[in-house]
């Protein structure tokens, strides 16, 4: 399908075993990559993903995303150069999910008011970005993240003593979280835009203190917001 930024991407679509043509199904988007050569009943990773189990409950499940085979190496290099560790990375992921919704809706396969997102590890960041930066016409009815982080101010403080992680958070947010760079953080960091979140979200830490800390900002703020 075509992402809303014009990029052509692909993924794997899981159908319910008793799929009925003409019926519009709920959709769950699993966001941690797609490999066409991999037999994956749950998805590309078993952590957080449960594609066939969800499909068995009358849902369509999209395992997204990957570039087309042709010119794959060049496109991958371009993606790394232009998007990795930049806010454009999350904006691109958002375009991929939105394009998938448009494509499957136009095909008559889904109910676009019943779409869920699942983030795992690195893509929990993108899922939280999408939820905190909603765009008109794209509503997510539910979301889940597992063993992930969101690159927010709390994450920055908790992990900022690691220079590599601090640099990653800074470049992705658009600067350092003080002085002029603070304005970029206020615009881009998921935690600073949490008031825009209207989607119920289930956050599952791995079970160790670090993983718990990575979800703590959202847990406390959403709880305070009721």
């Amino acid at each position: 399908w075509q992402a809303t930024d014009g990029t052509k991407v692909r993924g794997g679509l899981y159908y319910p075993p008793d799929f009925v043509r003409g019926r519009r199904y709920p959709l769950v988007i699993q966001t941690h990559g797609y490999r066409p050569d991999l037999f994956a009943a749950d998805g590309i990773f078993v952590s957080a993903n449960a594609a066939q189990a969800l499909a068995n409950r009358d849902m369509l499940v999209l395992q997204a995303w990957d570039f087309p085979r042709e010119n794959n190496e060049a496109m991958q290099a371009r993606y790394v150069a232009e998007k990795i560790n930049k806010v454009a990375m999350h904006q691109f992921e958002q375009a991929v999910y939105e394009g998938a919704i448009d494509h499957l809706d136009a095909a008559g396969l889904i109910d676009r008011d019943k779409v869920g997102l699942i983030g795992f590890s690195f893509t929990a960041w993108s899922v939280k970005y999408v939820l905190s930066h909603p765009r008109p016409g794209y509503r997510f009815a539910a979301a889940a993240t597992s063993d992930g982080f969101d690159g927010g101010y709390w994450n920055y403080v908790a992990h900022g003593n690691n220079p590599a992680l601090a640099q990653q958070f800074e470049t992705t947010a658009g600067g350092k979280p003080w002085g002029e760079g603070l304005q970029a953080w206020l615009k881009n960091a998921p935690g600073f835009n949490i008031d825009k979140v209207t989607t119920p979200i289930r956050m599952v830490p791995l079970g160790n203190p670090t993983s718990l800390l990575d979800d703590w900002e959202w847990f406390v703020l959403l709880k305070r917001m009721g």
Side-chain angles (χ1 to χ4, degrees):
W1 70 96
Q2 184 167 292
T4 53
D5 71 349
T7 305
K8 291 183 178 179
V9 294
R10 63 179 178 172
L13 188 64
Y14 296 73
Y15 286 80
D18 54 355
F19 172 76
V20 178
R21 189 171 299 279
R23 175 181 171 185
R24 289 183 177 269
Y25 289 85
L27 170 69
V28 176
I29 302 174
Q30 298 184 161
T31 60
H32 207 88
Y34 167 66
R35 281 181 51 190
D37 59 330
L38 181 69
F39 175 76
D42 296 312
I44 191 170
F45 288 94
V46 295
S47 298
N49 296 332
Q52 191 59 60
L54 292 169
N56 291 348
R57 293 300 188 96
D58 282 337
M59 304 180 197
L60 286 174
V61 181
L62 178 65
Q63 185 66 51
W65 55 271
D66 189 21
F67 289 110
R69 288 183 183 275
E70 57 272 18
N71 300 320
N72 187 49
E73 189 172 324
M75 293 182 73
Q76 190 72 23
R78 179 183 172 188
Y79 169 76
V80 170
E82 294 181 358
K83 295 183 172 66
I84 289 292
N85 291 340
K86 300 178 178 67
V87 70
M89 172 177 60
H90 303 310
Q91 294 168 344
F92 171 66
E93 292 276 348
Q94 187 169 22
V96 168
Y97 312 152
E98 292 172 349
I101 292 170
D102 289 341
H103 180 77
L104 295 173
D105 180 33
L109 291 171
I110 66 165
D111 180 345
R112 65 183 298 139
D113 289 325
K114 296 181 179 179
V115 179
L117 276 176
I118 294 178
F120 161 59
S121 188
F122 195 77
T123 60
W125 195 351
S126 291
V127 167
K128 288 183 176 181
Y129 178 90
V130 170
L131 298 183
S132 59
H133 294 77
R135 299 207 313 170
Y138 301 96
R139 176 182 179 273
F140 294 96
T145 59
S146 180
D147 191 24
F149 58 98
D150 56 63
Y153 186 73
W154 171 257
N155 280 186
Y156 182 85
V157 172
H159 300 294
N161 203 37
N162 180 322
L165 280 176
Q167 180 68 39
Q168 182 183 42
F169 293 159
E170 289 166 3
T171 55
T172 305
K176 296 178 172 60
W178 60 81
E180 293 182 1
L182 179 59
Q183 297 306 310
W185 277 73
L186 293 175
K187 178 182 178 182
N188 298 320
F192 286 144
N193 292 275
I194 202 166
D195 59 304
K196 302 180 184 70
V197 176
T198 59
T199 298
I201 181 170
R202 181 176 189 258
M203 297 180 294
V204 184
L206 183 63
N208 61 57
T210 298
S211 188
L212 180 63
L213 281 173
D214 286 338
D215 279 328
W216 197 251
E217 180 177 26
W218 271 52
F219 170 71
V220 171
L221 294 178
L222 288 173
K223 187 176 180 182
R224 289 290 298 159
M225 289 166 56

